[in-house]
Structure formats: structure tokens, C-alpha cells
mmCIF file of all heavy atoms in Angstrom:
data_model
loop_
_atom_site.group_PDB
_atom_site.id
_atom_site.type_symbol
_atom_site.label_atom_id
_atom_site.label_comp_id
_atom_site.label_asym_id
_atom_site.label_seq_id
_atom_site.Cartn_x
_atom_site.Cartn_y
_atom_site.Cartn_z
ATOM 1 N N LEU Z 1 -8.992 8.223 4.110
ATOM 2 C CA LEU Z 1 -9.965 8.608 5.131
ATOM 3 C C LEU Z 1 -10.333 10.087 5.030
ATOM 4 O O LEU Z 1 -9.464 10.951 4.951
ATOM 5 C CB LEU Z 1 -9.436 8.321 6.531
ATOM 6 C CG LEU Z 1 -9.338 6.854 6.922
ATOM 7 C CD1 LEU Z 1 -8.683 6.716 8.292
ATOM 8 C CD2 LEU Z 1 -10.713 6.194 6.914
ATOM 9 N N GLN Z 2 -11.629 10.322 5.046
ATOM 10 C CA GLN Z 2 -12.155 11.681 5.129
ATOM 11 C C GLN Z 2 -12.870 11.815 6.469
ATOM 12 O O GLN Z 2 -13.201 10.808 7.117
ATOM 13 C CB GLN Z 2 -13.112 11.947 3.968
ATOM 14 C CG GLN Z 2 -12.393 11.941 2.620
ATOM 15 C CD GLN Z 2 -13.349 12.080 1.468
ATOM 16 O OE1 GLN Z 2 -14.209 11.228 1.276
ATOM 17 N NE2 GLN Z 2 -13.201 13.154 0.704
ATOM 18 N N LEU Z 3 -13.126 13.046 6.877
ATOM 19 C CA LEU Z 3 -13.744 13.285 8.184
ATOM 20 C C LEU Z 3 -15.042 12.495 8.336
ATOM 21 O O LEU Z 3 -15.330 11.973 9.409
ATOM 22 C CB LEU Z 3 -13.986 14.779 8.389
ATOM 23 C CG LEU Z 3 -14.444 15.192 9.776
ATOM 24 C CD1 LEU Z 3 -13.456 14.760 10.843
ATOM 25 C CD2 LEU Z 3 -14.669 16.691 9.835
ATOM 26 N N ARG Z 4 -15.807 12.354 7.267
ATOM 27 C CA ARG Z 4 -17.086 11.628 7.325
ATOM 28 C C ARG Z 4 -16.912 10.147 7.677
ATOM 29 O O ARG Z 4 -17.871 9.485 8.074
ATOM 30 C CB ARG Z 4 -17.827 11.766 5.996
ATOM 31 C CG ARG Z 4 -17.125 11.117 4.827
ATOM 32 C CD ARG Z 4 -17.799 11.476 3.491
ATOM 33 N NE ARG Z 4 -17.045 11.000 2.371
ATOM 34 C CZ ARG Z 4 -17.278 9.848 1.751
ATOM 35 N NH1 ARG Z 4 -18.257 9.072 2.169
ATOM 36 N NH2 ARG Z 4 -16.535 9.497 0.720
ATOM 37 N N HIS Z 5 -15.718 9.610 7.569
ATOM 38 C CA HIS Z 5 -15.464 8.199 7.864
ATOM 39 C C HIS Z 5 -15.108 7.945 9.332
ATOM 40 O O HIS Z 5 -15.044 6.793 9.743
ATOM 41 C CB HIS Z 5 -14.312 7.668 7.000
ATOM 42 C CG HIS Z 5 -14.581 7.759 5.542
ATOM 43 N ND1 HIS Z 5 -13.695 8.346 4.669
ATOM 44 C CD2 HIS Z 5 -15.639 7.357 4.800
ATOM 45 C CE1 HIS Z 5 -14.199 8.291 3.449
ATOM 46 N NE2 HIS Z 5 -15.374 7.701 3.504
ATOM 47 N N VAL Z 6 -14.853 9.006 10.068
ATOM 48 C CA VAL Z 6 -14.379 8.865 11.449
ATOM 49 C C VAL Z 6 -15.485 9.266 12.415
ATOM 50 O O VAL Z 6 -16.030 10.363 12.332
ATOM 51 C CB VAL Z 6 -13.123 9.739 11.686
ATOM 52 C CG1 VAL Z 6 -12.650 9.624 13.123
ATOM 53 C CG2 VAL Z 6 -12.021 9.345 10.721
ATOM 54 N N ASP Z 7 -15.831 8.360 13.333
ATOM 55 C CA ASP Z 7 -16.833 8.626 14.363
ATOM 56 C C ASP Z 7 -16.148 8.465 15.718
ATOM 57 O O ASP Z 7 -16.067 7.357 16.261
ATOM 58 C CB ASP Z 7 -18.008 7.659 14.211
ATOM 59 C CG ASP Z 7 -19.124 7.904 15.221
ATOM 60 O OD1 ASP Z 7 -18.924 8.663 16.200
ATOM 61 O OD2 ASP Z 7 -20.204 7.324 15.038
ATOM 62 N N LEU Z 8 -15.638 9.577 16.241
ATOM 63 C CA LEU Z 8 -14.904 9.507 17.509
ATOM 64 C C LEU Z 8 -15.837 9.268 18.689
ATOM 65 O O LEU Z 8 -15.436 8.670 19.678
ATOM 66 C CB LEU Z 8 -14.076 10.779 17.707
ATOM 67 C CG LEU Z 8 -12.958 10.973 16.674
ATOM 68 C CD1 LEU Z 8 -12.224 12.281 16.926
ATOM 69 C CD2 LEU Z 8 -11.999 9.799 16.678
ATOM 70 N N LEU Z 9 -17.094 9.708 18.589
ATOM 71 C CA LEU Z 9 -18.057 9.477 19.661
ATOM 72 C C LEU Z 9 -18.289 7.981 19.879
ATOM 73 O O LEU Z 9 -18.351 7.503 21.008
ATOM 74 C CB LEU Z 9 -19.380 10.180 19.346
ATOM 75 C CG LEU Z 9 -20.472 10.049 20.398
ATOM 76 C CD1 LEU Z 9 -20.034 10.705 21.710
ATOM 77 C CD2 LEU Z 9 -21.761 10.680 19.901
ATOM 78 N N HIS Z 10 -18.374 7.222 18.782
ATOM 79 C CA HIS Z 10 -18.585 5.776 18.863
ATOM 80 C C HIS Z 10 -17.290 4.984 18.661
ATOM 81 O O HIS Z 10 -17.314 3.758 18.608
ATOM 82 C CB HIS Z 10 -19.639 5.347 17.844
ATOM 83 C CG HIS Z 10 -20.983 5.930 18.137
ATOM 84 N ND1 HIS Z 10 -21.485 7.011 17.447
ATOM 85 C CD2 HIS Z 10 -21.898 5.618 19.077
ATOM 86 C CE1 HIS Z 10 -22.665 7.322 17.940
ATOM 87 N NE2 HIS Z 10 -22.942 6.497 18.931
ATOM 88 N N ALA Z 11 -16.181 5.691 18.536
ATOM 89 C CA ALA Z 11 -14.848 5.095 18.414
ATOM 90 C C ALA Z 11 -14.766 4.083 17.266
ATOM 91 O O ALA Z 11 -14.370 2.926 17.444
ATOM 92 C CB ALA Z 11 -14.409 4.459 19.734
ATOM 93 N N THR Z 12 -15.139 4.560 16.058
ATOM 94 C CA THR Z 12 -15.059 3.711 14.874
ATOM 95 C C THR Z 12 -14.550 4.495 13.672
ATOM 96 O O THR Z 12 -14.628 5.716 13.624
ATOM 97 C CB THR Z 12 -16.430 3.111 14.498
ATOM 98 O OG1 THR Z 12 -17.338 4.171 14.198
ATOM 99 C CG2 THR Z 12 -16.981 2.216 15.600
ATOM 100 N N VAL Z 13 -14.034 3.744 12.714
ATOM 101 C CA VAL Z 13 -13.646 4.283 11.412
ATOM 102 C C VAL Z 13 -14.295 3.396 10.359
ATOM 103 O O VAL Z 13 -14.213 2.160 10.448
ATOM 104 C CB VAL Z 13 -12.104 4.276 11.234
ATOM 105 C CG1 VAL Z 13 -11.716 4.571 9.801
ATOM 106 C CG2 VAL Z 13 -11.455 5.283 12.154
ATOM 107 N N SER Z 14 -14.933 4.014 9.361
ATOM 108 C CA SER Z 14 -15.539 3.265 8.259
ATOM 109 C C SER Z 14 -14.591 3.274 7.070
ATOM 110 O O SER Z 14 -14.174 4.340 6.620
ATOM 111 C CB SER Z 14 -16.867 3.902 7.852
ATOM 112 O OG SER Z 14 -17.787 3.841 8.913
ATOM 113 N N VAL Z 15 -14.270 2.092 6.574
ATOM 114 C CA VAL Z 15 -13.418 1.970 5.394
ATOM 115 C C VAL Z 15 -14.348 1.871 4.182
ATOM 116 O O VAL Z 15 -15.051 0.871 4.026
ATOM 117 C CB VAL Z 15 -12.488 0.748 5.480
ATOM 118 C CG1 VAL Z 15 -11.647 0.619 4.225
ATOM 119 C CG2 VAL Z 15 -11.610 0.844 6.720
ATOM 120 N N GLU Z 16 -14.379 2.928 3.382
ATOM 121 C CA GLU Z 16 -15.266 2.999 2.221
ATOM 122 C C GLU Z 16 -14.514 3.272 0.930
ATOM 123 O O GLU Z 16 -15.079 3.148 -0.154
ATOM 124 C CB GLU Z 16 -16.314 4.096 2.432
ATOM 125 C CG GLU Z 16 -17.187 3.856 3.644
ATOM 126 C CD GLU Z 16 -18.143 5.007 3.914
ATOM 127 O OE1 GLU Z 16 -18.276 5.912 3.055
ATOM 128 O OE2 GLU Z 16 -18.759 5.003 4.983
ATOM 129 N N GLN Z 17 -13.249 3.683 1.047
ATOM 130 C CA GLN Z 17 -12.468 4.032 -0.143
ATOM 131 C C GLN Z 17 -10.991 3.975 0.206
ATOM 132 O O GLN Z 17 -10.626 3.828 1.366
ATOM 133 C CB GLN Z 17 -12.834 5.432 -0.635
ATOM 134 C CG GLN Z 17 -12.503 6.523 0.369
ATOM 135 C CD GLN Z 17 -13.064 7.882 -0.022
ATOM 136 O OE1 GLN Z 17 -14.045 7.970 -0.757
ATOM 137 N NE2 GLN Z 17 -12.443 8.929 0.458
ATOM 138 N N GLN Z 18 -10.177 4.100 -0.804
ATOM 139 C CA GLN Z 18 -8.736 4.166 -0.604
ATOM 140 C C GLN Z 18 -8.138 5.106 -1.640
ATOM 141 O O GLN Z 18 -8.761 5.408 -2.653
ATOM 142 C CB GLN Z 18 -8.099 2.787 -0.681
ATOM 143 C CG GLN Z 18 -8.234 2.116 -2.029
ATOM 144 C CD GLN Z 18 -7.522 0.780 -2.071
ATOM 145 O OE1 GLN Z 18 -6.498 0.594 -1.420
ATOM 146 N NE2 GLN Z 18 -8.034 -0.148 -2.849
ATOM 147 N N ILE Z 19 -6.926 5.562 -1.356
ATOM 148 C CA ILE Z 19 -6.162 6.373 -2.305
ATOM 149 C C ILE Z 19 -5.098 5.454 -2.905
ATOM 150 O O ILE Z 19 -4.396 4.757 -2.173
ATOM 151 C CB ILE Z 19 -5.454 7.554 -1.601
ATOM 152 C CG1 ILE Z 19 -6.464 8.519 -1.005
ATOM 153 C CG2 ILE Z 19 -4.487 8.255 -2.543
ATOM 154 C CD1 ILE Z 19 -7.148 9.412 -1.987
ATOM 155 N N GLN Z 20 -5.017 5.465 -4.211
ATOM 156 C CA GLN Z 20 -3.984 4.704 -4.900
ATOM 157 C C GLN Z 20 -3.172 5.647 -5.776
ATOM 158 O O GLN Z 20 -3.643 6.730 -6.144
ATOM 159 C CB GLN Z 20 -4.602 3.598 -5.755
ATOM 160 C CG GLN Z 20 -5.187 2.469 -4.931
ATOM 161 C CD GLN Z 20 -4.134 1.739 -4.133
ATOM 162 O OE1 GLN Z 20 -3.091 1.351 -4.645
ATOM 163 N NE2 GLN Z 20 -4.395 1.545 -2.845
ATOM 164 N N GLN Z 21 -1.980 5.226 -6.109
ATOM 165 C CA GLN Z 21 -1.092 6.025 -6.948
ATOM 166 C C GLN Z 21 -0.354 5.079 -7.883
ATOM 167 O O GLN Z 21 0.298 4.141 -7.432
ATOM 168 C CB GLN Z 21 -0.101 6.794 -6.077
ATOM 169 C CG GLN Z 21 0.847 7.659 -6.854
ATOM 170 C CD GLN Z 21 1.821 8.383 -5.936
ATOM 171 O OE1 GLN Z 21 2.101 7.933 -4.839
ATOM 172 N NE2 GLN Z 21 2.318 9.493 -6.396
ATOM 173 N N THR Z 22 -0.494 5.311 -9.182
ATOM 174 C CA THR Z 22 0.230 4.515 -10.167
ATOM 175 C C THR Z 22 0.830 5.456 -11.204
ATOM 176 O O THR Z 22 0.361 6.582 -11.386
ATOM 177 C CB THR Z 22 -0.677 3.492 -10.884
ATOM 178 O OG1 THR Z 22 -1.645 4.201 -11.654
ATOM 179 C CG2 THR Z 22 -1.359 2.551 -9.912
ATOM 180 N N ALA Z 23 1.846 4.992 -11.879
ATOM 181 C CA ALA Z 23 2.466 5.799 -12.925
ATOM 182 C C ALA Z 23 1.468 6.073 -14.053
ATOM 183 O O ALA Z 23 1.428 7.172 -14.613
ATOM 184 C CB ALA Z 23 3.705 5.088 -13.471
ATOM 185 N N LYS Z 24 0.631 5.105 -14.356
ATOM 186 C CA LYS Z 24 -0.319 5.240 -15.461
ATOM 187 C C LYS Z 24 -1.492 6.166 -15.128
ATOM 188 O O LYS Z 24 -1.910 6.974 -15.954
ATOM 189 C CB LYS Z 24 -0.846 3.864 -15.856
ATOM 190 C CG LYS Z 24 -1.777 3.873 -17.046
ATOM 191 C CD LYS Z 24 -2.176 2.460 -17.429
ATOM 192 C CE LYS Z 24 -3.122 2.474 -18.625
ATOM 193 N NZ LYS Z 24 -3.522 1.127 -18.997
ATOM 194 N N HIS Z 25 -2.031 6.044 -13.910
ATOM 195 C CA HIS Z 25 -3.246 6.778 -13.548
ATOM 196 C C HIS Z 25 -3.016 7.939 -12.578
ATOM 197 O O HIS Z 25 -3.952 8.657 -12.259
ATOM 198 C CB HIS Z 25 -4.276 5.821 -12.941
ATOM 199 C CG HIS Z 25 -4.700 4.730 -13.866
ATOM 200 N ND1 HIS Z 25 -5.482 4.955 -14.969
ATOM 201 C CD2 HIS Z 25 -4.432 3.404 -13.864
ATOM 202 C CE1 HIS Z 25 -5.686 3.817 -15.603
ATOM 203 N NE2 HIS Z 25 -5.049 2.852 -14.958
ATOM 204 N N GLY Z 26 -1.824 8.106 -12.066
ATOM 205 C CA GLY Z 26 -1.575 9.152 -11.089
ATOM 206 C C GLY Z 26 -2.230 8.805 -9.761
ATOM 207 O O GLY Z 26 -2.361 7.639 -9.402
ATOM 208 N N VAL Z 27 -2.685 9.818 -9.033
ATOM 209 C CA VAL Z 27 -3.334 9.642 -7.733
ATOM 210 C C VAL Z 27 -4.839 9.614 -7.959
ATOM 211 O O VAL Z 27 -5.382 10.487 -8.636
ATOM 212 C CB VAL Z 27 -2.958 10.789 -6.774
ATOM 213 C CG1 VAL Z 27 -3.725 10.667 -5.465
ATOM 214 C CG2 VAL Z 27 -1.457 10.802 -6.517
ATOM 215 N N TYR Z 28 -5.514 8.602 -7.382
ATOM 216 C CA TYR Z 28 -6.956 8.519 -7.555
ATOM 217 C C TYR Z 28 -7.602 7.831 -6.358
ATOM 218 O O TYR Z 28 -6.963 7.093 -5.619
ATOM 219 C CB TYR Z 28 -7.316 7.804 -8.862
ATOM 220 C CG TYR Z 28 -6.831 6.376 -8.952
ATOM 221 C CD1 TYR Z 28 -7.679 5.312 -8.661
ATOM 222 C CD2 TYR Z 28 -5.525 6.089 -9.320
ATOM 223 C CE1 TYR Z 28 -7.234 4.009 -8.741
ATOM 224 C CE2 TYR Z 28 -5.068 4.783 -9.402
ATOM 225 C CZ TYR Z 28 -5.931 3.745 -9.114
ATOM 226 O OH TYR Z 28 -5.475 2.445 -9.183
ATOM 227 N N VAL Z 29 -8.889 8.101 -6.182
ATOM 228 C CA VAL Z 29 -9.696 7.482 -5.135
ATOM 229 C C VAL Z 29 -10.423 6.309 -5.769
ATOM 230 O O VAL Z 29 -10.978 6.430 -6.863
ATOM 231 C CB VAL Z 29 -10.715 8.489 -4.555
ATOM 232 C CG1 VAL Z 29 -11.594 7.828 -3.508
ATOM 233 C CG2 VAL Z 29 -10.001 9.702 -3.976
ATOM 234 N N CYS Z 30 -10.426 5.174 -5.071
ATOM 235 C CA CYS Z 30 -11.100 3.988 -5.586
ATOM 236 C C CYS Z 30 -11.682 3.193 -4.422
ATOM 237 O O CYS Z 30 -11.389 3.474 -3.262
ATOM 238 C CB CYS Z 30 -10.137 3.135 -6.412
ATOM 239 S SG CYS Z 30 -8.705 2.534 -5.519
ATOM 240 N N PRO Z 31 -12.511 2.196 -4.729
ATOM 241 C CA PRO Z 31 -13.057 1.360 -3.658
ATOM 242 C C PRO Z 31 -11.945 0.593 -2.952
ATOM 243 O O PRO Z 31 -10.856 0.410 -3.502
ATOM 244 C CB PRO Z 31 -13.988 0.389 -4.390
ATOM 245 C CG PRO Z 31 -14.197 0.965 -5.739
ATOM 246 C CD PRO Z 31 -12.998 1.814 -6.041
ATOM 247 N N PRO Z 32 -12.229 0.093 -1.755
ATOM 248 C CA PRO Z 32 -11.246 -0.758 -1.080
ATOM 249 C C PRO Z 32 -10.910 -1.979 -1.924
ATOM 250 O O PRO Z 32 -11.607 -2.318 -2.884
ATOM 251 C CB PRO Z 32 -11.957 -1.164 0.215
ATOM 252 C CG PRO Z 32 -12.948 -0.091 0.451
ATOM 253 C CD PRO Z 32 -13.399 0.326 -0.929
#
């Protein structure tokens, strides 16, 4: 989650990405 995904005025969170971590690829951002 990044700040752009959180709308506190409308009380919602948009799920647009995730953080994954693997031994092969390290830490990376990818789609849900």
C-alpha cells in the first residue's frame, strides 16, 4: 500500500499491487 491507495475521506483502500519477496528475485512490487 502506498498513500495513493488510501482514501480516508471515503473510507476505502484500493488494492492495485503487492510486495513479494523471494530468494531468487529479492523484494519486488507486482500485481495482486
Side-chain angles (χ1 to χ4, degrees):
L1 289 175
Q2 294 175 298
L3 188 58
R4 65 189 173 95
H5 300 128
V6 179
D7 182 348
L8 295 178
L9 181 63
H10 295 102
T12 61
V13 169
S14 297
V15 178
E16 300 175 10
Q17 63 189 25
Q18 63 177 327
I19 296 284
Q20 289 296 311
Q21 181 181 25
T22 65
K24 183 176 180 180
H25 299 289
V27 175
Y28 61 98
V29 178
C30 60

